[in-house]
Amino acid sequence: MSTYKFFEQVNKNFDKAAPYTRFEKGLLDQIKIANQVYEITFPIRRDDGSIDVIKGWRVEHSHHKLPTKGGIRYSRIVNEDETKALAALMTYKCALVDVPFGGAKGGIAVDKRKYSDKEMERITRRYTYELIKKNFIGPAVDVPAPDYGTGSREMGWIVDTYRQFSNDLNAEGCVTGKPIQQGGVRGRTEATGMGVFFGIREACSKADDMKALGLETGVDGKTFIVQGLGNVGYHASKYMTEAGASLVGVAEQEGSIYKKDGIDLESLMAFRNETGSIMDFEGAINLPDKSTVLTEPADILIPAALENQINEGNAKDVKVKILAEAANGPTSSEAHDILKEKGVLIIPDAYLNAGGVVVSYFEWLKNLQHVRFGRIEKRFDENALRNVLDAVENLSSIKFSDIERLNLTQGAGEFELVKSGLEETMVTAYNEILGARSEYDVDLRTASFIVAINKVGTIYEQMGIFP
Ligand code: NAD
């Protein structure tokens, strides 16, 4: 196991912000600590008939709001410290973007490449069963979601397993990130990457900050590097390039590549699907190893893989002006200080990757409401808009073309509503963090912790300490 203490790193950031809040030490300790930690070991039968013992965790960091919420990670290096750290980040993240959940996280220490799909299904279903037994899952208790190494497939297995043991009308709300047919919401798959884009776009719209970095405002024309082309890294890159940014560097497990005049994202994805690797992509330079690209030149670096990627070892060589933390905890506390000294604008993880939980919140609401967003009002809105256009045509010489009519009368469907709710949330939260940054003259990370601690602490104050 690595000696890197992720939970301690999160708490270091918390401790930097705590003196700017009004709360007494005891209350701050209560906010910081993990409320419930469940370590599970269980056996699974392998395809060859042998038995493997699997280890997993679920951590509910904060019960100040229920249900608790947080993803499930599948990785060889999952451990209790990491799960606690990620659960704590969820508490602060939910507070930052005003979604009514306490923070949680789960994980299974498993190398997916060593197990068949059938074995992964057995592991996921058994883990879910263990959570059910101990009341660590349920729409009103604790609601998992995808994280590193998991996606809608695993969430589908989880909801199906949960339903075997529950006739709760709201059972679908026991997990988010599900396939649409099992109660998922349109837009959840791309939500985290889309939120990363909205956050970067908002940061790049601030003229004073961009001037201080020697950059123009806007995403258009900026260059960026991405580490990890998984769910978050791919979608963040997709929206960045659609907005006119140029992808110049990419890292994946097999290595890293750089191309000064821009890498076509979809061609690279197709190339990797075909060859199993990003290496030797046409026109790009193969770099010596997967971490080299982190110190190549660009305007923005988007780490979207795992924690502790930018650390004391490489921070001084980082050349970008903006570090956009799409992954959780990609920057060690020491690296943060080095980058801050160099004047890098760090958009912190707890804010930047909150898009996933925001849209998970929408999915949970959809499950409790039992109706798709937009279903009731879409056609009504379209008819009303058509009436307005008819009236404009009758009262003036204006005539709308069929295309104009189509564009102007489109009612919002589920995806459009989810996207607009996410955009609103990311923009509002960024400006709230900026408010704290200027009030206390701190960096964005400390400002985000101040905002989050104030929200969680206020709830604890109002609740009082029971009994
Ligand atoms: P994922 O499993 O879909 O993708 C991660 C990618 O990173 C994989 O393609 C993997 O091969 C690659 N990778 C791993 N180590 C690497 C390395 N050293 N160098 C280069 N590439 C490497 O996971 P994800 O869901 O995209 O999650 C990525 C990060 O975003 C994690 O920190 C996760 O906690 C965070 N996050 C995810 C979500 C979500 O909704 N999925 C939400 C919030 C935060």
Side-chain angles (χ1 to χ4, degrees), residues 25 67 104 156 163 200 328 391 422 432 446:
K25 184 179 174 305
R163 296 188 77 137
I200 296 175
N328 281 307
L422 173 61
E432 193 175 6
T446 301

Side-chain angles (χ1 to χ4, degrees), residues 6 71-74 86 89-90 93 105 112-113 145-151 188-193 196 226-235 250-256 272 278 290-291 293-294 303-307 309 325-330 349 352-357 360:
F6 191 3
I72 296 179
R73 178 174 285 200
Y74 286 180
L86 292 166
L89 278 173
M90 282 305 296
K93 193 176 301 185
K105 203 80 181 189
K112 278 170 66 177
R113 287 168 301 188
D147 189 69
Y148 184 95
T150 59
R188 175 59 185 90
T189 306
E190 47 275 73
T192 308
V196 167
V226 67
Q227 182 196 36
L229 270 185
N231 178 300
V232 179
Y234 165 71
H235 286 106
V250 176
E252 250 300 334
Q253 302 274 18
E254 59 273 14
S256 60
R272 189 170 191 242
I278 59 168
K290 62 183 170 190
S291 54
V293 80
L294 301 176
L306 287 169
E307 55 269 18
Q309 298 301 303
E325 294 185 336
N328 281 307
D349 51 359
L352 195 65
N353 67 34
V357 77
S360 276

Side-chain angles (χ1 to χ4, degrees), residues 81-116:
D81 175 75
E82 179 187 77
T83 315
K84 277 182 175 170
L86 292 166
L89 278 173
M90 282 305 296
T91 296
Y92 309 128
K93 193 176 301 185
C94 291
L96 275 176
V97 291
D98 285 326
V99 295
F101 301 130
K105 203 80 181 189
I108 303 183
V110 65
D111 184 349
K112 278 170 66 177
R113 287 168 301 188
K114 295 200 176 131
Y115 293 88
S116 69

